Amino acid sequence: MLYAERVSGQSMRCLLVNFGGPRSLDEIEPFLRELLTDPDVIKSRLSGPIYRWFFGRLAAKRARKIAPDYELIGGKSPIFFDTETIAKTLGALTFHRYLPATHSMALEAIEEAAAKGPLVVLPMFPQFSYATTGSIARFFWDKLSARSVEQLHWIRSYPDHPLFINAYAHQIRLFLQSHSIAETDVALLCSAHGIPINFVRQGDPYVTECKRSFNALMRQFPGAVGHLSFQSKFGPEEWTQPYTDEACERSHEWRQNRPVVAIVPLSFTSDHIETLFEIEQLYLPLLQKEGSKAVRCPCLNLAPQWLDALAQLAYEPSVSNASLL
């Protein structure tokens, strides 16, 4: 029996935190407005009301542009629903950073839980960035009472923790087997969400932690070829490279004649617009033009091994070598 099943229904002093995602087409704009007006995500010389006005207008414009993309994946993002399902299974609380309609109820629940004792905060981001886990920490600092903040015990990251790596490796193996792909025939393109290169220069450890995840995962597949890239660039500034689209366009330079390229969404634990649309619709065709059989490995989503890993990380942080905030 899985660990997650053994503890289901128990009082789990844990808070799962995630990005959130639009639950309907109507929620795309408020989601983007909350995201693009977060100074931990979008750094700008603008400030105050001008910053919020400018990026609020940008969010409205972008919402109209990407609404058709969401329609192609069912009119919503699975992230919210996956996170809520995991939390229900494990008996945990949740917080969705960029779904403002959920904030009031979530903050109230966190205050009530924190009044009863410590809470383990478990990010659904294996690799730490100030634009993800750091943003949520700042939000709690600003919105929660000082007493509640003191009760939050953060698992900062777990980029190469065996629980995470083994769960993802199991997911990849199942996927390759289901498609009758031999390990020696595949090149694994591990695509992580990018961040502006200025974040890295200012000390954000995200890229270093992505490399740790990549190296640990590739050790599980000694017969495969691996390559790390970064996707979802936004705006005119330079982001972390190599870019995934360029890696796809030049796959002949690194895939070592492997007939199959499988894109592995390395920093994503739940499928959403970046995997269901961006990888499926934009990157796989580029690989196919290069002459590869191109496939996308699903994220961890609701895989039992992933739920088991999360339960162990949350219940027994003392046995974890995950970094603490």
Side-chain angles (χ1 to χ4, degrees):
M1 183 180 293
L2 290 174
Y3 191 94
E5 294 171 342
R6 296 202 304 271
V7 301
S8 179
Q10 294 184 17
S11 177
M12 182 185 190
R13 304 289 302 169
C14 178
L15 170 63
L16 301 180
V17 296
N18 210 340
F19 243 53
R23 296 170 292 181
S24 67
L25 294 177
D26 291 338
E27 207 163 36
I28 297 174
E29 184 176 337
F31 168 78
L32 287 177
R33 184 183 300 112
E34 190 76 11
L35 174 66
L36 298 181
T37 58
D38 180 357
D40 287 312
V41 173
I42 304 292
K43 300 184 186 297
S44 171
R45 296 175 182 175
L46 302 175
S47 62
I50 297 177
Y51 176 93
R52 290 189 294 273
W53 172 82
F54 178 82
F55 287 103
R57 288 196 63 182
L58 182 61
K61 181 179 179 181
R62 186 161 179 79
R64 292 190 295 270
K65 180 180 179 180
I66 67 173
D69 302 346
Y70 274 99
E71 289 179 333
L72 286 174
I73 66 169
K76 60 188 176 182
S77 169
I79 292 181
F80 172 86
F81 305 98
D82 282 358
T83 305
E84 290 295 311
T85 299
I86 292 170
K88 184 177 181 180
T89 302
L90 303 182
L93 297 175
T94 59
F95 178 77
H96 305 273
R97 174 63 182 89
Y98 300 111
L99 286 181
T102 67
H103 286 175
S104 178
M105 185 177 295
L107 291 172
E108 182 179 347
I110 294 169
E111 292 278 10
E112 291 178 0
K116 300 175 183 178
L119 277 173
V120 173
V121 183
L122 179 54
M124 302 294 280
F125 319 111
Q127 304 87 11
F128 177 89
S129 172
Y130 289 105
T132 54
T133 305
S135 173
I136 295 172
R138 188 192 299 274
F139 187 93
F140 286 166
W141 181 269
D142 291 339
K143 302 295 184 180
L144 292 174
S145 66
R147 179 194 64 183
S148 293
V149 170
E150 290 177 356
Q151 295 284 49
L152 301 181
H153 294 245
W154 291 77
I155 294 178
R156 177 181 179 275
S157 65
Y158 42 97
D160 51 4
H161 192 287
L163 290 169
F164 166 60
I165 295 299
N166 290 341
Y168 225 139
H170 183 77
Q171 185 81 331
I172 295 170
R173 289 192 184 97
L174 288 179
F175 175 76
L176 295 180
Q177 291 170 6
S178 69
H179 287 72
S180 301
I181 300 171
E183 182 178 322
T184 52
D185 287 336
V186 71
L188 299 177
L189 177 56
C190 294
S191 182
H193 199 294
I195 60 174
I197 196 65
N198 282 337
F199 286 25
V200 179
R201 292 168 179 160
Q202 293 168 8
D204 196 303
Y206 173 74
V207 171
T208 297
E209 296 205 356
C210 284
K211 291 178 180 178
R212 286 170 56 187
S213 297
F214 171 73
N215 291 333
L217 191 61
M218 291 310 304
R219 285 195 289 271
Q220 299 273 341
F221 297 93
V225 171
H227 192 68
L228 175 63
S229 63
F230 298 89
Q231 67 177 81
S232 308
K233 180 181 182 297
F234 176 77
E237 63 184 310
E238 181 186 359
W239 278 41
T240 46
Q241 297 186 40
Y243 299 133
T244 297
D245 57 351
E246 295 179 357
C248 291
E249 292 171 338
R250 299 199 297 267
S251 66
H252 63 277
E253 297 178 359
W254 55 266
R255 63 182 169 94
Q256 299 180 21
N257 294 320
R258 301 300 172 97
V260 183
V261 176
I263 299 184
V264 177
L266 183 66
S267 63
F268 306 100
T269 57
S270 180
D271 280 313
H272 54 302
I273 192 74
E274 282 89 347
T275 62
L276 299 176
F277 177 80
E278 188 175 351
I279 290 178
E280 289 277 358
Q281 302 296 322
L282 303 183
Y283 301 150
L284 294 188
L286 295 177
L287 288 167
Q288 291 163 358
K289 288 181 180 179
E290 281 276 289
S292 300
K293 177 182 178 181
V295 291
R296 177 187 64 85
C297 180
C299 292
L300 290 163
N301 298 322
L302 301 176
Q305 290 75 17
W306 175 228
L307 270 65
D308 190 41
L310 290 170
Q312 293 187 61
L313 283 169
Y315 267 102
E316 299 183 19
S318 62
V319 305
S320 164
N321 64 1
S323 301
L324 301 178
L325 192 64

